[in-house]
mmCIF file of all heavy atoms in Angstrom:
data_model
loop_
_atom_site.group_PDB
_atom_site.id
_atom_site.type_symbol
_atom_site.label_atom_id
_atom_site.label_comp_id
_atom_site.label_asym_id
_atom_site.label_seq_id
_atom_site.Cartn_x
_atom_site.Cartn_y
_atom_site.Cartn_z
ATOM 1 N N THR A 224 -4.936 5.532 -15.874
ATOM 2 C CA THR A 224 -5.487 6.228 -14.695
ATOM 3 C C THR A 224 -5.789 5.255 -13.572
ATOM 4 O O THR A 224 -5.872 4.076 -13.796
ATOM 5 C CB THR A 224 -6.857 6.979 -15.071
ATOM 6 O OG1 THR A 224 -7.783 5.889 -15.388
ATOM 7 C CG2 THR A 224 -6.638 7.885 -16.278
ATOM 8 N N PRO A 225 -5.771 5.712 -12.381
ATOM 9 C CA PRO A 225 -6.066 4.827 -11.248
ATOM 10 C C PRO A 225 -7.366 4.029 -11.446
ATOM 11 O O PRO A 225 -7.445 2.899 -11.079
ATOM 12 C CB PRO A 225 -6.152 5.706 -10.061
ATOM 13 C CG PRO A 225 -5.219 6.841 -10.414
ATOM 14 C CD PRO A 225 -5.406 7.027 -11.874
ATOM 15 N N THR A 226 -8.394 4.663 -11.957
ATOM 16 C CA THR A 226 -9.730 3.977 -12.177
ATOM 17 C C THR A 226 -9.515 2.852 -13.147
ATOM 18 O O THR A 226 -9.922 1.663 -12.867
ATOM 19 C CB THR A 226 -10.685 4.941 -12.773
ATOM 20 O OG1 THR A 226 -10.967 6.002 -11.721
ATOM 21 C CG2 THR A 226 -12.012 4.251 -12.975
ATOM 22 N N ASN A 227 -8.818 3.043 -14.231
ATOM 23 C CA ASN A 227 -8.520 1.940 -15.140
ATOM 24 C C ASN A 227 -7.605 0.877 -14.617
ATOM 25 O O ASN A 227 -7.707 -0.282 -14.983
ATOM 26 C CB ASN A 227 -8.015 2.510 -16.521
ATOM 27 C CG ASN A 227 -9.175 3.263 -17.227
ATOM 28 O OD1 ASN A 227 -10.241 2.906 -17.254
ATOM 29 N ND2 ASN A 227 -8.739 4.222 -18.151
ATOM 30 N N ASN A 228 -6.607 1.361 -13.839
ATOM 31 C CA ASN A 228 -5.677 0.347 -13.217
ATOM 32 C C ASN A 228 -6.376 -0.596 -12.274
ATOM 33 O O ASN A 228 -5.873 -1.720 -12.237
ATOM 34 C CB ASN A 228 -4.588 1.146 -12.455
ATOM 35 C CG ASN A 228 -3.619 1.992 -13.280
ATOM 36 O OD1 ASN A 228 -3.536 1.752 -14.510
ATOM 37 N ND2 ASN A 228 -3.044 2.970 -12.734
ATOM 38 N N ARG A 229 -7.472 -0.195 -11.772
ATOM 39 C CA ARG A 229 -8.222 -1.185 -10.940
ATOM 40 C C ARG A 229 -8.820 -2.333 -11.657
ATOM 41 O O ARG A 229 -9.212 -3.356 -11.130
ATOM 42 C CB ARG A 229 -9.301 -0.407 -10.124
ATOM 43 C CG ARG A 229 -8.792 0.558 -9.051
ATOM 44 C CD ARG A 229 -9.891 1.431 -8.481
ATOM 45 N NE ARG A 229 -9.466 2.429 -7.551
ATOM 46 C CZ ARG A 229 -9.748 2.421 -6.337
ATOM 47 N NH1 ARG A 229 -10.503 1.457 -5.787
ATOM 48 N NH2 ARG A 229 -9.248 3.338 -5.493
ATOM 49 N N LYS A 230 -8.834 -2.094 -12.977
ATOM 50 C CA LYS A 230 -9.425 -3.286 -13.840
ATOM 51 C C LYS A 230 -8.369 -4.123 -14.338
ATOM 52 O O LYS A 230 -8.630 -5.168 -15.045
ATOM 53 C CB LYS A 230 -10.100 -2.589 -15.099
ATOM 54 C CG LYS A 230 -11.295 -1.647 -14.680
ATOM 55 C CD LYS A 230 -11.761 -0.838 -15.860
ATOM 56 C CE LYS A 230 -12.764 0.244 -15.441
ATOM 57 N NZ LYS A 230 -13.189 1.032 -16.643
ATOM 58 N N SER A 231 -7.062 -3.838 -14.080
ATOM 59 C CA SER A 231 -6.060 -4.705 -14.538
ATOM 60 C C SER A 231 -6.121 -6.047 -13.918
ATOM 61 O O SER A 231 -6.540 -6.272 -12.709
ATOM 62 C CB SER A 231 -4.743 -4.034 -14.196
ATOM 63 O OG SER A 231 -3.633 -4.998 -14.385
ATOM 64 N N LYS A 232 -5.722 -7.079 -14.642
ATOM 65 C CA LYS A 232 -5.810 -8.497 -14.149
ATOM 66 C C LYS A 232 -4.829 -8.753 -13.015
ATOM 67 O O LYS A 232 -5.128 -9.662 -12.282
ATOM 68 C CB LYS A 232 -5.465 -9.426 -15.344
ATOM 69 C CG LYS A 232 -4.069 -9.357 -15.766
ATOM 70 C CD LYS A 232 -3.862 -10.348 -16.960
ATOM 71 C CE LYS A 232 -2.405 -10.386 -17.519
ATOM 72 N NZ LYS A 232 -1.393 -10.720 -16.527
ATOM 73 N N ASP A 233 -3.824 -7.906 -12.820
ATOM 74 C CA ASP A 233 -2.920 -8.131 -11.753
ATOM 75 C C ASP A 233 -3.272 -7.285 -10.504
ATOM 76 O O ASP A 233 -2.672 -7.378 -9.438
ATOM 77 C CB ASP A 233 -1.436 -7.742 -12.094
ATOM 78 C CG ASP A 233 -0.925 -8.708 -13.191
ATOM 79 O OD1 ASP A 233 -1.241 -9.951 -12.957
ATOM 80 O OD2 ASP A 233 -0.288 -8.371 -14.065
ATOM 81 N N PHE A 234 -4.332 -6.405 -10.619
ATOM 82 C CA PHE A 234 -4.651 -5.546 -9.475
ATOM 83 C C PHE A 234 -5.021 -6.296 -8.263
ATOM 84 O O PHE A 234 -4.589 -6.032 -7.169
ATOM 85 C CB PHE A 234 -5.890 -4.667 -9.965
ATOM 86 C CG PHE A 234 -6.310 -3.791 -8.816
ATOM 87 C CD1 PHE A 234 -5.747 -2.531 -8.486
ATOM 88 C CD2 PHE A 234 -7.479 -4.210 -8.041
ATOM 89 C CE1 PHE A 234 -6.214 -1.790 -7.445
ATOM 90 C CE2 PHE A 234 -7.885 -3.419 -7.023
ATOM 91 C CZ PHE A 234 -7.298 -2.152 -6.728
ATOM 92 N N SER A 235 -5.866 -7.378 -8.400
ATOM 93 C CA SER A 235 -6.319 -8.079 -7.192
ATOM 94 C C SER A 235 -5.154 -8.898 -6.641
ATOM 95 O O SER A 235 -5.217 -9.061 -5.325
ATOM 96 C CB SER A 235 -7.412 -9.088 -7.632
ATOM 97 O OG SER A 235 -7.034 -9.926 -8.552
ATOM 98 N N LYS A 236 -4.194 -9.248 -7.397
ATOM 99 C CA LYS A 236 -3.100 -10.006 -6.882
ATOM 100 C C LYS A 236 -2.318 -9.069 -5.886
ATOM 101 O O LYS A 236 -1.959 -9.487 -4.785
ATOM 102 C CB LYS A 236 -2.089 -10.444 -8.043
ATOM 103 C CG LYS A 236 -0.831 -11.037 -7.544
ATOM 104 C CD LYS A 236 0.177 -11.285 -8.772
ATOM 105 C CE LYS A 236 0.766 -9.896 -9.188
ATOM 106 N NZ LYS A 236 1.797 -10.099 -10.201
ATOM 107 N N TYR A 237 -2.038 -7.864 -6.342
ATOM 108 C CA TYR A 237 -1.270 -6.943 -5.381
ATOM 109 C C TYR A 237 -2.155 -6.575 -4.191
ATOM 110 O O TYR A 237 -1.627 -6.455 -3.046
ATOM 111 C CB TYR A 237 -0.906 -5.653 -6.169
ATOM 112 C CG TYR A 237 0.230 -5.832 -7.103
ATOM 113 C CD1 TYR A 237 0.032 -5.760 -8.552
ATOM 114 C CD2 TYR A 237 1.537 -6.162 -6.784
ATOM 115 C CE1 TYR A 237 1.035 -5.940 -9.463
ATOM 116 C CE2 TYR A 237 2.602 -6.373 -7.668
ATOM 117 C CZ TYR A 237 2.293 -6.251 -9.072
ATOM 118 O OH TYR A 237 3.244 -6.368 -9.919
ATOM 119 N N TYR A 238 -3.416 -6.337 -4.380
ATOM 120 C CA TYR A 238 -4.255 -6.012 -3.293
ATOM 121 C C TYR A 238 -4.205 -7.171 -2.202
ATOM 122 O O TYR A 238 -4.152 -6.910 -1.038
ATOM 123 C CB TYR A 238 -5.870 -5.850 -3.863
ATOM 124 C CG TYR A 238 -6.792 -5.393 -2.704
ATOM 125 C CD1 TYR A 238 -7.003 -4.041 -2.562
ATOM 126 C CD2 TYR A 238 -7.276 -6.315 -1.848
ATOM 127 C CE1 TYR A 238 -7.974 -3.591 -1.640
ATOM 128 C CE2 TYR A 238 -8.132 -5.928 -0.899
ATOM 129 C CZ TYR A 238 -8.554 -4.530 -0.816
ATOM 130 O OH TYR A 238 -9.335 -4.191 0.196
ATOM 131 N N ASP A 239 -4.441 -8.401 -2.646
ATOM 132 C CA ASP A 239 -4.500 -9.468 -1.718
ATOM 133 C C ASP A 239 -3.064 -9.714 -0.959
ATOM 134 O O ASP A 239 -3.150 -9.940 0.153
ATOM 135 C CB ASP A 239 -4.791 -10.845 -2.487
ATOM 136 C CG ASP A 239 -6.315 -10.838 -2.971
ATOM 137 O OD1 ASP A 239 -7.066 -10.030 -2.515
ATOM 138 O OD2 ASP A 239 -6.515 -11.689 -3.886
ATOM 139 N N VAL A 240 -2.013 -9.538 -1.698
ATOM 140 C CA VAL A 240 -0.709 -9.673 -1.121
ATOM 141 C C VAL A 240 -0.561 -8.557 -0.011
ATOM 142 O O VAL A 240 0.002 -8.819 1.070
ATOM 143 C CB VAL A 240 0.416 -9.633 -2.171
ATOM 144 C CG1 VAL A 240 1.830 -9.444 -1.425
ATOM 145 C CG2 VAL A 240 0.380 -10.793 -3.061
ATOM 146 N N LEU A 241 -0.946 -7.346 -0.364
ATOM 147 C CA LEU A 241 -0.784 -6.272 0.583
ATOM 148 C C LEU A 241 -1.625 -6.406 1.824
ATOM 149 O O LEU A 241 -1.182 -6.165 2.917
ATOM 150 C CB LEU A 241 -1.062 -4.886 -0.033
ATOM 151 C CG LEU A 241 0.040 -4.339 -0.939
ATOM 152 C CD1 LEU A 241 -0.445 -3.277 -1.873
ATOM 153 C CD2 LEU A 241 1.117 -3.796 -0.102
ATOM 154 N N TRP A 242 -2.909 -6.866 1.610
ATOM 155 C CA TRP A 242 -3.749 -7.127 2.675
ATOM 156 C C TRP A 242 -3.240 -8.183 3.710
ATOM 157 O O TRP A 242 -3.222 -7.992 4.973
ATOM 158 C CB TRP A 242 -5.137 -7.554 2.159
ATOM 159 C CG TRP A 242 -6.169 -7.801 3.279
ATOM 160 C CD1 TRP A 242 -6.626 -8.928 3.728
ATOM 161 C CD2 TRP A 242 -6.852 -6.780 4.037
ATOM 162 N NE1 TRP A 242 -7.495 -8.762 4.663
ATOM 163 C CE2 TRP A 242 -7.698 -7.368 4.942
ATOM 164 C CE3 TRP A 242 -6.699 -5.314 4.172
ATOM 165 C CZ2 TRP A 242 -8.378 -6.772 5.899
ATOM 166 C CZ3 TRP A 242 -7.461 -4.729 5.046
ATOM 167 C CH2 TRP A 242 -8.294 -5.401 5.959
ATOM 168 N N ARG A 243 -2.702 -9.155 3.128
ATOM 169 C CA ARG A 243 -2.117 -10.309 3.979
ATOM 170 C C ARG A 243 -0.950 -9.832 4.728
ATOM 171 O O ARG A 243 -0.586 -10.392 5.855
ATOM 172 C CB ARG A 243 -1.869 -11.466 3.132
ATOM 173 C CG ARG A 243 -3.096 -12.239 2.625
ATOM 174 C CD ARG A 243 -2.707 -13.660 2.210
ATOM 175 N NE ARG A 243 -1.704 -13.657 1.103
ATOM 176 C CZ ARG A 243 -2.059 -13.588 -0.218
ATOM 177 N NH1 ARG A 243 -3.366 -13.568 -0.574
ATOM 178 N NH2 ARG A 243 -1.133 -13.564 -1.175
ATOM 179 N N ASP A 244 -0.177 -8.897 4.090
ATOM 180 C CA ASP A 244 1.104 -8.418 4.716
ATOM 181 C C ASP A 244 0.932 -7.476 5.841
ATOM 182 O O ASP A 244 1.897 -7.158 6.609
ATOM 183 C CB ASP A 244 1.895 -7.723 3.657
ATOM 184 C CG ASP A 244 3.428 -7.908 3.882
ATOM 185 O OD1 ASP A 244 3.770 -8.656 4.740
ATOM 186 O OD2 ASP A 244 4.209 -7.107 3.285
ATOM 187 N N LEU A 245 -0.243 -6.895 6.050
ATOM 188 C CA LEU A 245 -0.496 -5.913 7.054
ATOM 189 C C LEU A 245 -0.652 -6.694 8.373
ATOM 190 O O LEU A 245 -1.350 -7.746 8.482
ATOM 191 C CB LEU A 245 -1.729 -5.094 6.805
ATOM 192 C CG LEU A 245 -1.463 -4.123 5.676
ATOM 193 C CD1 LEU A 245 -2.692 -3.504 5.142
ATOM 194 C CD2 LEU A 245 -0.495 -2.963 6.062
ATOM 195 N N ASP A 246 -0.154 -6.192 9.456
ATOM 196 C CA ASP A 246 -0.259 -6.745 10.772
ATOM 197 C C ASP A 246 -1.707 -6.734 11.316
ATOM 198 O O ASP A 246 -2.121 -7.704 11.930
ATOM 199 C CB ASP A 246 0.614 -6.020 11.819
ATOM 200 C CG ASP A 246 2.112 -6.243 11.495
ATOM 201 O OD1 ASP A 246 2.474 -7.350 10.949
ATOM 202 O OD2 ASP A 246 2.875 -5.382 11.681
#
Side-chain angles (χ1 to χ4, degrees):
T224 64
T226 298
N227 286 332
N228 290 341
R229 291 172 185 246
K230 303 171 186 176
S231 169
K232 65 181 180 64
D233 292 320
F234 175 83
S235 60
K236 175 189 74 174
Y237 288 112
Y238 184 99
D239 292 342
V240 169
L241 281 162
W242 180 254
R243 289 195 300 269
D244 207 15
L245 290 167
D246 292 327

